[in-house]
Amino acid sequence: MASEGMVLKGKDASTLLLTSGASGRISALFSLRALRALLTFLNGVVLLLLFPFRKGTVSSRFSWKSTGAGSNSTARRALAIRRVLEERDSDADGSSLREYRLFPTSRGDTIFTQSWIPLSPNNTVRGVVVLMHGLNEHSGRYTHFAKQLNANGFKVYGMDWVGHGGSDGLHAYVHSLDDAVSDMKVFLERVQTENPGLPCFCFGHSTGAAITLKALLDPKVEARIAGAILTSPAVGVSPSHPILVVLAPIASFLLPTYQCSSAYKKGLPVSRDPDALIAKYSDPLVCTGPLRVRTGYEILRITSYLQQNMRKLRVPFLVLHGTADSVTDPAASKKLYEEASSTDKTIKLYDGFLHDLLFEPERDAIIQDIIQWLNRRV
């Protein structure tokens, strides 16, 4: 059995805290007193259940934010496409070709995907990596990582899952993460059809890692995948009290797209690199608002499923987690490593590192850890 554990130490760094949020009102349908009572109850339930993934400090003052029924996916897609085209036109070294493609789902949604293809004649393509980003972000954030993989002989294909990046849907709203799992399976099949004979690996970050894991538990997908890399996987989310498991679907049914707006006393930093934080939270394709009710419930659902099925995981995998991650739990990654049936599994814990590992100051060293793991399996 090929398995290993490692704890890496990093430098101390100051943290820049960037948070955002807004509050709004709901039109009165009943008496003001009844409405306030209902909102106070539901808001309390959702705060306990859905935000954040792990315990954080929030103020006692909170309000509901209505997002309306509209979707800005058209503008997001236009921006995602423009970024791909601008980079392709300005790529001076010509070492990689970045392209985008759209594909329709059986639900009628359009999913935005992109690829980074190595072009160097001296760089033999040895495998492909299918990338799933985390909650509230998009695949384009991983361009640096993709190009590093290109330089080592790997094609990279990224998919913006529904409600994210250039794909259809209200920003950061996910009616069902099973839709994202199904879309990933379709995307995997398309990538593998385009690259016959090449070993295919999956990369998933945070909630994207949870989506990846659920897809890999399908025996038909498992049989076609050479391995998986999981950074800060969201596999250990649970409510603070068992009764809230009953209340969560009620809240998600009544107010699925609402966002719970909290005034932070302390935020949840995801990187120790101030520039990386500025880049993330100034990106229009990144949703910086509070968690949507239905999306939060879906995260609870998929993590509950994974908790019950970890032993069924058989594909080779590398899981990486920062010990100071305040968004997802490093202990859950340890549990995944211990319980999975995979005979080829590796865990690396980075001492003091935060949630967005590929955007930490030591990102290049972490990428090298990933590349070395891949090199040993092609």
Side-chain angles (χ1 to χ4, degrees):
M1 174 169 146
S3 60
E4 59 182 275
M6 182 177 294
V7 179
L8 302 185
K9 294 187 177 291
K11 302 174 183 176
D12 292 333
S14 59
T15 300
L16 174 65
L17 221 53
L18 293 176
T19 60
S20 66
S23 61
R25 291 186 242 173
I26 305 175
S27 299
L29 299 177
F30 308 103
S31 70
L32 183 59
R33 178 176 297 178
L35 180 60
R36 283 176 176 169
L38 174 63
L39 293 181
T40 300
F41 168 74
L42 290 176
N43 198 20
V45 169
V46 173
L47 273 176
L48 288 170
L49 279 169
L50 308 177
F51 188 81
F53 292 170
R54 299 180 66 195
K55 291 182 180 179
T57 306
V58 297
S59 76
S60 60
R61 294 169 292 135
F62 46 80
S63 61
W64 284 102
K65 175 184 176 182
S66 173
T67 59
S71 169
N72 56 353
S73 59
T74 302
R76 296 201 318 267
R77 182 175 304 123
L79 177 57
I81 291 173
R82 185 165 72 247
R83 287 180 175 178
V84 172
L85 297 178
E86 286 175 350
E87 180 179 310
R88 188 170 66 185
D89 293 341
S90 62
D91 190 359
D93 60 11
S95 59
S96 297
L97 174 64
R98 185 178 177 186
E99 296 183 308
Y100 78 90
R101 292 183 186 177
L102 308 175
F103 77 82
T105 71
S106 59
R107 306 181 306 277
D109 293 324
T110 297
I111 299 298
F112 175 89
T113 72
Q114 57 187 315
S115 59
W116 296 262
I117 310 299
L119 293 180
S120 172
N122 300 321
N123 192 358
T124 303
V125 175
R126 299 180 295 140
V128 299
V129 176
V130 173
L131 184 152
M132 294 293 285
H133 62 78
L135 181 69
N136 293 341
E137 54 170 2
H138 59 96
S139 58
R141 278 179 30 87
Y142 293 85
T143 294
H144 174 71
F145 175 49
K147 288 188 172 183
Q148 292 289 316
L149 292 175
N150 283 174
N152 285 271
F154 295 93
K155 292 183 177 181
V156 182
Y157 295 81
M159 186 189 91
D160 289 356
W161 33 287
V162 64
H164 291 73
S167 292
D168 276 352
L170 184 63
H171 206 184
Y173 173 69
V174 181
H175 181 72
S176 173
L177 280 173
D178 285 339
D179 291 341
V181 173
S182 297
D183 294 343
M184 180 184 176
K185 291 178 181 179
V186 172
F187 186 48
L188 275 170
E189 186 173 353
R190 288 170 176 253
V191 169
Q192 290 180 307
T193 299
E194 187 176 313
N195 296 277
L198 288 177
C200 182
F201 297 88
C202 295
F203 169 90
H205 174 65
S206 194
T207 306
I211 294 169
T212 299
L213 283 167
K214 187 164 186 180
L216 292 175
L217 290 175
D218 182 338
K220 293 180 181 178
V221 176
E222 173 196 318
R224 305 197 311 264
I225 299 302
I229 303 102
L230 312 165
T231 58
S232 314
V235 294
V237 182
S238 60
S240 58
H241 192 282
I243 191 63
L244 299 180
V245 175
V246 178
L247 298 178
I250 299 172
S252 73
F253 175 77
L254 292 174
L255 298 166
T257 64
Y258 279 98
Q259 294 172 286
C260 189
S261 180
S262 303
Y264 288 95
K265 290 180 180 177
K266 287 185 178 181
L268 293 174
V270 294
S271 171
R272 292 152 39 247
D273 182 346
D275 291 336
L277 288 175
I278 292 171
K280 180 174 185 176
Y281 292 115
S282 62
D283 185 347
L285 294 183
V286 172
C287 182
T288 58
L291 191 66
R292 299 186 188 277
V293 175
R294 180 72 185 195
T295 305
Y297 171 59
E298 283 299 302
I299 292 171
L300 286 179
R301 264 198 346 119
I302 196 170
T303 55
S304 175
Y305 175 87
L306 293 174
Q307 286 284 317
Q308 298 171 35
N309 291 276
M310 285 182 177
R311 289 181 175 85
K312 297 180 181 178
L313 183 64
R314 297 181 181 86
V315 300
F317 70 87
L318 167 66
V319 59
L320 309 104
H321 218 129
T323 62
D325 189 338
S326 57
V327 180
T328 58
D329 193 351
S333 286
K334 294 179 185 177
K335 181 181 178 183
L336 172 66
Y337 169 75
E338 291 166 358
E339 294 191 5
S341 297
S342 307
T343 56
D344 177 1
K345 54 185 178 179
T346 305
I347 184 169
K348 289 185 182 245
L349 300 177
Y350 299 89
D351 189 53
F353 289 22
L354 301 181
H355 184 65
D356 284 357
L357 287 179
L358 296 190
F359 299 89
E360 285 282 65
E362 300 84 358
R363 62 181 69 89
D364 287 334
I366 296 172
I367 290 173
Q368 285 305 308
D369 288 340
I370 293 171
I371 290 172
Q372 289 173 14
W373 186 87
L374 288 168
N375 284 340
R376 292 195 295 266
R377 287 159 182 84
V378 293

